Each structure stands twice: as structure tokens, then as C-alpha cells.
């Protein structure tokens, strides 16, 4: 890990924020280190809950892989509010780390996966059939997420147990239909990075199916993903722009955004998640993307005399 107290001889200091389980960053994020150095930026890796870090000493603090926040969201949001020059900003973090933002986006006319929300203590009866995905409203890396065939009595029992387990922990459960297109077309993630004229489309990737069955409570920081480069369609880009236009406070403040889409039952793309807090940016899957990430960080550095 880079020593966050090392002298930088007047170069702008940028913190790349991670968690204790990834003290050297996710390998994909490390691809931006050389481009940042080439631009005269002193990039330093820092763990978000490390009490030794002086966040006020950085010119910019960039959230990258603090993926252990899900069970400590209140602490994480409170921390974000104390950090000067944080991107994406703390109010965006507070809004985006609870997936109930999907209800707001749906009300604003964004096509989203239909979602039922089950609050702690609320009774929930599984639908009689169909494949469904259950996950907590606050999660990262597909943690505590399962796929259930509710025509199967065993899966129905496991789904009910999943909801109870989350509810007993004080967590809201999301219940969504499993979209079959995940198994064929896959999920498309559209990546946007800040540029001289604001947030702009950078690249897209395809994620293959990840959920193979019920969640059995295994602890893992994130699930492994199968990633390939993908060319975004005009229809996907149009939906992504509609999603971003509904972000509270506007997108000019954002350093990055990731819009995850899946074809709905009629083939039109629908939003699965909007990642504004700590998304994998998959810069290793597109030519020039590490440099575009470095340029995005440079664009957000405060102007110097």
C-alpha cells in the first residue's frame, strides 16, 4: 500500500479509497496508477475506516473499492460526510447506497426491473411460481443475493428463510423477477467518466450470469464475474441518459457512473442498478479507459493558482 504520509513535492494528492480486505486496490483500479503518475498526480491508496488517514490532506478523495460497507452503511455514510473533496459526493453516496433509489427512478419514468420491498418485520408470502432474485436493499458485490425457482417447495422455503434472515438483521429485502435474458444476452454495464464537458460515455462491458441458486449465507466480499467488452446500442445509451438525467443534484458533480441494464420481457433495456458509489469500472476491458479514468480524476481536481 502507498504510504499516505509520504511527501509529494507539490504534486496534487489523490486518495483512492478501498477497504481493509483490498489494501492494494482491486487490480482493475491499479491500471489507473501509471496514467495518474504520468499526469503528475500523486495517487495514494487509503482504507476508508483507517483512523490514521488525514483525509483533509488530499486534494481529491476518490471512492473505489470500499466494498465492506454494506453491513456498516450508517457508519460509511457518516464517514463520507466528513471527507472534504469526496467523489462521488457524500449526498450521492447516501442516496445511492440504498437501492430504494430504484423506486424513485421508476417514479421518474425510468424503465426498471419491477421490485417489491420487504421491510424488517413485514410478512412476505413467496409468489406461487417463477424465478425471482432476493437481495438486501443495501449490498455490494452481489453479497447476500440469491436466485429462487418459487415453484420448487425447497426454494420457497429457502426464499422465506432468506427474507427472515435479512429482516432479523434489520435489513430491507428486494424481490425482483429473474430476467431470462441474463442467461442469453447477459447484463450490459455502461460506464461514464467525467470529461472536459461533464460526464461522458466511456465504454461498455457484458457481464455473464452470476446467480446459480439460493443464497446460503456464504460470506464473500464479492462474487466473481465473467466480463467481456461490449458495444453499446443506441437504445441502451438512450436509456442510460434517461437514468442519469434523473439523478438528484445532476450529473455534473459525478466523476463516474455505471448504468447496469438487462433486456426486459419485450427486449427493451431496463435498469437493474445505477452504481454511483463504488462501482467496478472495468477499465481493463476497453482501450484507453485507464487514461480516461485518470483524465476524469484530473478534471475533478480543484483549480490551482
Amino acid at each position: 500500500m502507498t504510504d499516505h504520509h509520504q511527501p509529494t513535492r507539490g504534486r496534487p494528492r489523490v486518495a483512492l479509497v478501498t477497504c481493509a480486505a483490498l489494501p492494494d486496490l482491486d487490480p482493475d483500479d491499479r491500471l489507473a496508477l501509471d496514467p495518474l503518475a504520468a499526469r503528475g498526480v500523486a495517487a495514494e491508496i487509503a482504507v476508508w475506516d483507517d483512523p490514521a488517514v488525514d483525509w483533509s490532506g488530499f486534494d481529491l478523495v476518490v471512492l473505489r473499492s470500499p466494498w465492506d460497507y454494506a453491513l456498516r452503511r450508517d457508519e460509511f455514510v457518516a464517514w463520507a460526510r466528513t471527507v472534504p473533496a469526496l467523489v462521488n459526493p457524500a449526498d450521492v453516496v447516501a442516496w445511492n447506497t440504498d437501492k430504494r433509489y430504484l423506486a424513485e427512478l421508476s417514479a421518474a419514468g425510468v424503465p426498471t426491473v419491477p421490485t417489491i420491498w420487504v421491510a424488517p418485520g413485514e410478512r412476505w408470502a413467496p409468489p406461487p411460481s417463477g424465478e425471482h432474485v432476493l437481495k438486501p436493499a443495501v449490498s455490494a458485490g452481489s453479497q447476500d443475493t440469491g436466485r429462487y425457482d418459487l415453484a420448487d417447495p425447497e426454494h420457497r422455503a429457502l426464499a422465506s428463510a432468506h427474507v427472515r434472515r435479512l429482516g432479523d438483521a434489520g435489513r430491507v429485502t428486494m424481490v425482483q423477477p429473474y430476467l431470462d435474458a441474463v442467461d442469453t444476452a447477459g447484463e450490459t454495464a455502461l460506464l461514464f467518466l467525467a470529461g472536459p464537458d461533464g460526464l461522458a460515455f466511456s465504454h461498455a462491458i457484458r457481464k455473464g450470469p452470476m446467480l446459480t441458486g439460493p443464497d446460503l449465507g456464504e460470506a464473500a466480499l464479492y462474487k466473481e464475474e465473467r466480463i467481456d467488452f461490449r458495444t453499446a446500442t443506441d437504445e441502451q445509451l438512450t436509456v442510460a441518459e434517461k437514468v442519469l438525467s434523473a439523478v438528484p443534484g445532476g450529473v455534473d458533480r459525478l466523476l463516474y457512473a455505471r448504468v447496469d441494464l438487462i433486456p426486459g420481457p419485450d427486449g427493451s433495456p431496463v435498469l437493474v442498478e445505477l452504481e454511483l458509489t463504488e462501482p467496478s469500472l472495468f477499465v481493463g476491458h476497453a482501450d484507453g479507459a485507464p487514461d480516461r479514468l485518470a483524465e476524469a480524476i484530473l478534471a475533478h481536481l480543484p483549480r490551482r493558482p
Side-chain angles (χ1 to χ4, degrees), residues 18-33:
T18 185
C19 60
L22 290 169
D24 295 317
L25 288 179
D26 181 69
D28 188 69
D29 288 321
R30 292 190 62 83
L31 297 175
L33 294 177

Side-chain angles (χ1 to χ4, degrees), residues 34 42 47 49 61 92 105 142 148 162 175 201 207 233 235 294:
D34 286 344
V47 173
D49 57 351
V61 177
V92 173
L105 294 179
S142 297
Y148 300 88
H162 190 163
V175 182
F201 176 69
K207 292 197 286 184
T233 67
E235 187 178 23

Side-chain angles (χ1 to χ4, degrees), residues 1 17-24 46-49 65-69 221:
M1 183 191 301
V17 180
T18 185
C19 60
L22 290 169
D24 295 317
V47 173
W48 74 270
D49 57 351
S65 49
W67 294 335
D68 61 355
Y69 77 85
L221 190 62

Side-chain angles (χ1 to χ4, degrees), residues 250-274:
V251 298
D252 289 342
R253 304 177 300 149
L254 304 182
L255 190 148
Y256 49 66
R258 196 182 90 198
V259 181
D260 294 346
L261 304 174
I262 296 176
D266 67 353
S268 299
V270 297
L271 179 68
V272 182
E273 287 190 24
L274 169 61

Side-chain angles (χ1 to χ4, degrees), residues 61-74:
V61 177
V62 182
L63 290 166
R64 287 312 315 124
S65 49
W67 294 335
D68 61 355
Y69 77 85
L71 297 179
R72 305 158 60 193
R73 175 180 175 267
D74 290 348

Side-chain angles (χ1 to χ4, degrees), residues 210-223:
M210 295 169 54
L211 301 177
T212 57
D215 175 67
L216 302 177
E218 303 98 334
L221 190 62
Y222 57 89
K223 287 184 169 66

